[in-house]
Amino acid sequence: MMARRHGNLSAAPLQDFVLVGFEGGPETQALLFAVILALYTVTVLGNLTMIVVITRDARLHSPMYFFLQNLSFLDLCYSSAIAPQTLVNFFSSSKAITFAGCAAQFFFFSLLGSTECFLLAVMAYDRFMAICSPLRYPVTMRPSACARLVLVSYCGGLFNTTMQTSFTFSLPFCGSNHINHFFCDVTALLQLACTDTALNEMILFGICGLIILGTTTVILISYGYIIVTILRMRAGSGRLKVFSTCGSHLTAVSLFYGTLFVIYAQPGAMESMEQSKVISVFYTLVIPMLNPLIYSLRNKDVKEALRRLGQKHTGP
């Protein structure tokens, strides 16, 4: 979509984009469709189950499970911003997405992803208060304070996505409208711009780097104090329970932050789009699917709540 004026190329506004998706023939495409559908189905069922169980079971109405419920909600919406469009495109000959649709997908994906970064840091702070300051915990983490922490997480995510979306979609796009990705990701979109994107890349790496660095610092400091406190505990079931709870959170944090850092927080992230697609599948679908399993399989309270809910529905 280019117009030629006086021998020079000038950008004409794009009306839509084409999501290239994954390479491969019909058999490869069918296999990828089945894999993504399976991942998304398990993600939806797992996170909905966590939300329902925590809502229905009064014994789980505590700050830790309030944050876990919000994490499940974020994971559910996060994957839903990407997976349905991806699945539809496997059967679409055009694989087109409108400019507005692409901007909306990018906005919500970025909002939910960056909000999850802040929420994981909040969850680490919650564990720090519960383990290191148990007497102050009921006051510090009262319901109103927990709600404010979740709201702050969303505000941080909103700031990031507003900056990223406005800077990215104000660029002039020209030439090919084919996005070499399966969703509207910033690294692929910047490659279509017909202007210098150095400022956008600096903003991308700067904001994402600060978010990852800042939230990681909170997590590391929180768990530093937690480890010291655990080591001072007398050996027994209490120490094992703390290790189990904190181990689940650290596993989720390591998976999520590791993949985000590879793509968004280092300048070499844009060199291989095929590698970026594989990693993107991991953090948009695999991690949201794993989080409910990580927290339920390693959490005695959640397993007991699931058992009680099952008995309630199967009992006489």
Side-chain angles (χ1 to χ4, degrees), residues 109-146:
F109 163 74
S110 181
L111 168 66
L112 296 164
S114 49
T115 299
E116 185 157 330
C117 286
F118 290 108
L119 184 62
L120 289 171
V122 167
M123 293 172 72
Y125 174 72
D126 170 70
R127 290 299 83 209
F128 159 73
M129 291 301 302
I131 296 168
C132 301
S133 301
L135 297 179
R136 295 173 53 194
Y137 181 73
V139 177
T140 305
M141 302 303 291
R142 59 189 182 276
S144 59
C146 293

Side-chain angles (χ1 to χ4, degrees), residues 31-45 87 285 289:
L31 176 61
L32 288 170
F33 173 81
V35 170
I36 291 176
L37 178 62
L39 290 173
Y40 182 57
T41 301
V42 176
T43 297
V44 171
L45 293 176
L87 292 170
L285 291 169
M289 177 197 70

Side-chain angles (χ1 to χ4, degrees), residues 13-315:
L14 287 175
Q15 299 301 313
D16 55 36
F17 292 104
V18 175
L19 293 168
V20 173
F22 300 93
E23 296 180 350
E27 292 183 356
T28 302
Q29 296 295 310
L31 176 61
L32 288 170
F33 173 81
V35 170
I36 291 176
L37 178 62
L39 290 173
Y40 182 57
T41 301
V42 176
T43 297
V44 171
L45 293 176
N47 285 289
L48 279 178
T49 299
M50 291 295 291
I51 293 170
V52 170
V53 167
I54 294 172
T55 302
R56 297 282 300 272
D57 197 310
R59 301 181 192 184
L60 300 182
H61 292 177
S62 66
M64 182 177 76
Y65 295 108
F66 172 72
F67 295 130
L68 181 55
Q69 186 180 42
N70 278 275
L71 178 66
S72 293
F73 174 76
L74 281 174
D75 281 336
L76 177 62
C77 297
Y78 183 62
S79 58
S80 296
I82 306 297
Q85 178 73 51
T86 303
L87 292 170
V88 168
N89 283 346
F90 278 108
F91 297 99
S92 173
S93 57
S94 65
K95 299 186 178 182
I97 183 171
T98 64
F99 187 91
C102 187
Q105 185 186 60
F106 177 80
F107 178 88
F108 287 108
F109 163 74
S110 181
L111 168 66
L112 296 164
S114 49
T115 299
E116 185 157 330
C117 286
F118 290 108
L119 184 62
L120 289 171
V122 167
M123 293 172 72
Y125 174 72
D126 170 70
R127 290 299 83 209
F128 159 73
M129 291 301 302
I131 296 168
C132 301
S133 301
L135 297 179
R136 295 173 53 194
Y137 181 73
V139 177
T140 305
M141 302 303 291
R142 59 189 182 276
S144 59
C146 293
R148 284 196 295 270
L149 287 171
V150 171
L151 179 61
V152 168
S153 298
Y154 275 95
C155 289
L158 183 62
F159 170 77
N160 176 54
T161 192
T162 301
M163 293 290 291
Q164 300 287 357
T165 305
S166 59
F167 273 91
T168 300
F169 286 89
S170 63
L171 289 170
F173 296 103
C174 51
S176 173
N177 62 343
H178 286 61
I179 300 174
N180 187 19
H181 217 305
F182 62 93
F183 69 98
C184 293
D185 194 21
V186 63
T187 54
L189 284 164
L190 291 182
Q191 295 182 355
L192 302 184
C194 54
T195 186
D196 184 15
T197 60
L199 176 62
N200 293 76
E201 292 180 27
M202 182 176 67
I203 292 171
L204 167 67
F205 298 132
I207 296 178
C208 291
L210 284 174
I211 291 174
I212 293 174
L213 179 62
T215 52
T216 301
T217 300
V218 172
I219 292 169
L220 291 177
I221 292 175
S222 297
Y223 276 97
Y225 280 105
I226 288 171
I227 290 171
V228 172
T229 303
I230 291 174
L231 293 176
R232 290 175 178 173
M233 290 181 178
R234 295 179 180 179
S237 59
R239 178 185 288 188
L240 292 175
K241 183 177 181 179
V242 171
F243 267 123
S244 176
T245 302
C246 295
S248 299
H249 184 248
L250 281 175
T251 302
V253 167
S254 301
L255 290 171
F256 188 73
Y257 276 82
T259 52
L260 288 184
F261 179 82
V262 169
I263 294 184
Y264 298 112
Q266 55 172 337
M270 298 185 198
E271 293 179 359
S272 173
M273 289 310 302
E274 293 307 314
Q275 181 184 15
S276 177
K277 291 177 190 179
V278 175
I279 298 173
S280 295
V281 170
F282 192 78
Y283 75 82
T284 58
L285 291 169
V286 176
I287 293 177
M289 177 197 70
L290 290 177
N291 278 346
L293 299 176
I294 291 170
Y295 282 101
S296 61
L297 293 178
R298 301 190 61 178
N299 190 301
K300 183 180 178 181
D301 294 335
V302 173
K303 287 190 287 187
E304 290 180 351
L306 284 168
R307 180 179 53 79
R308 287 193 295 269
L309 184 62
Q311 290 175 346
K312 186 180 297 185
H313 286 280
T314 59

